[in-house]
Amino acid sequence: MTFEGLDGTGKSTQLRKLAEVLRRAGHKVVETREPGGTVTGEKIRRLLLDSKTEGLSPPAEMALMFAARAQHIAEVIQPALDRGQIVVCDRFSDSTEAYQGYGRRLGSEKVLTLHRILCGNLQPDLTILLDSNPAISLGRARRRNQAATARIAGGPNQGAAKHSSDENRFEQQNRVFFARVHEGYRAIASRERQRIMVIDARGTPSETHRQILEAVERKLKLLSGVS
Ligand code: TYD
């Protein structure tokens, strides 16, 4: 299962809440994220998201996203699936199609081809796409990452940050870039209607959570017995 959406739509919070409910229902759940999820992948993440990384070409950026993903599948995702566990991943190949395919204008075809070659075309059973107003969600993501960066600058005891380094490189893109990413997500969702559930993330976190539980139950019937 994967979570997708623009930066700042509340994916990580919602992913954590869903994983808790699934565990209470008796499932073994692996929570993970991209880019990252492995030691090598987290190194690639640092390179990709650090705002000091300059002049990375769009194809190189896409290749690094896939390098991290191929490692993540080999080391974490496929072994967990083979053990019968539920994998809940914060971002997956739809992010590459939306951000690199649409945002960087590399096109869907290249992304889908690399996904077939490097990821064995592995598809989530369900993708939750959190849809929000790009201006609002981006504002949230920027404030959060700047606060995290300030804590890093202030030393190691400045509170727990979600991000362990300066992760502002994507947030520095302009409105037009995120409008393209948003359009990309909508196009992917209308192509993949069976797999992708679009959830309106503009309400409160608990309202969004309730909608996600309904979607998960409807699609995967994983929650019977949980109130
Ligand atoms: P993430 O940590 O999920 O950001 P946020 O919590 O702000 O939503 O993802 C980091 C950034 O990486 C995000 O701006 C989107 C970008 N990204 C891509 O451009 N392509 C990809 O394939 C992935 C997985 C992420």
Side-chain angles (χ1 to χ4, degrees), residues 5-8 11-12 33-35 45 49 61 65 69 90-93 95-96 99-100 141 144-145 162-163 167 170-171 178:
L6 288 176
D7 307 63
K11 283 180 289 81
S12 322
R33 69 168 179 182
E34 292 199 349
R45 178 186 178 93
L49 304 189
E61 182 179 278
M65 294 291 179
R69 182 164 302 128
D90 192 343
R91 299 192 180 279
F92 195 58
S93 288
S95 281
T96 317
Y99 283 75
Q100 281 67 50
R144 180 190 65 204
N145 282 0
K162 175 200 170 203
H163 298 316
E167 297 198 334
F170 280 95
E171 273 93 358
F178 285 103

Side-chain angles (χ1 to χ4, degrees), residues 39-173:
V39 173
T40 307
E42 292 292 329
K43 287 183 187 166
I44 298 173
R45 178 186 178 93
R46 231 164 288 145
L47 179 67
L48 277 165
L49 304 189
D50 192 328
S51 50
K52 289 192 287 297
T53 299
E54 281 171 11
L56 195 59
S57 76
E61 182 179 278
M62 173 170 66
L64 287 168
M65 294 291 179
F66 272 110
R69 182 164 302 128
Q71 186 65 27
H72 193 202
I73 292 172
E75 213 178 302
V76 175
I77 298 178
Q78 196 59 56
L81 294 175
D82 292 345
R83 290 192 296 269
Q85 297 175 335
I86 298 177
V87 177
V88 194
C89 189
D90 192 343
R91 299 192 180 279
F92 195 58
S93 288
D94 295 327
S95 281
T96 317
E97 190 175 350
Y99 283 75
Q100 281 67 50
Y102 281 77
R104 302 286 193 218
R105 299 184 189 275
L106 290 172
S108 293
E109 202 42 52
K110 288 194 178 86
V111 176
L112 297 175
T113 302
L114 285 175
H115 188 64
R116 278 193 294 276
I117 296 170
L118 300 172
C119 305
N121 208 29
L122 182 66
Q123 298 292 331
D125 294 317
L126 171 65
T127 295
I128 305 285
L129 173 56
L130 295 183
D131 195 25
S132 169
N133 176 328
I136 294 174
S137 50
L138 199 63
R140 268 168 55 177
R142 284 194 177 124
R143 281 192 297 280
R144 180 190 65 204
N145 282 0
Q146 279 159 8
T149 307
R151 279 195 295 272
I152 295 158
N157 298 319
Q158 302 291 309
K162 175 200 170 203
H163 298 316
S164 55
S165 63
D166 166 2
E167 297 198 334
N168 293 311
R169 200 170 70 87
F170 280 95
E171 273 93 358
Q172 287 167 353
Q173 294 299 312

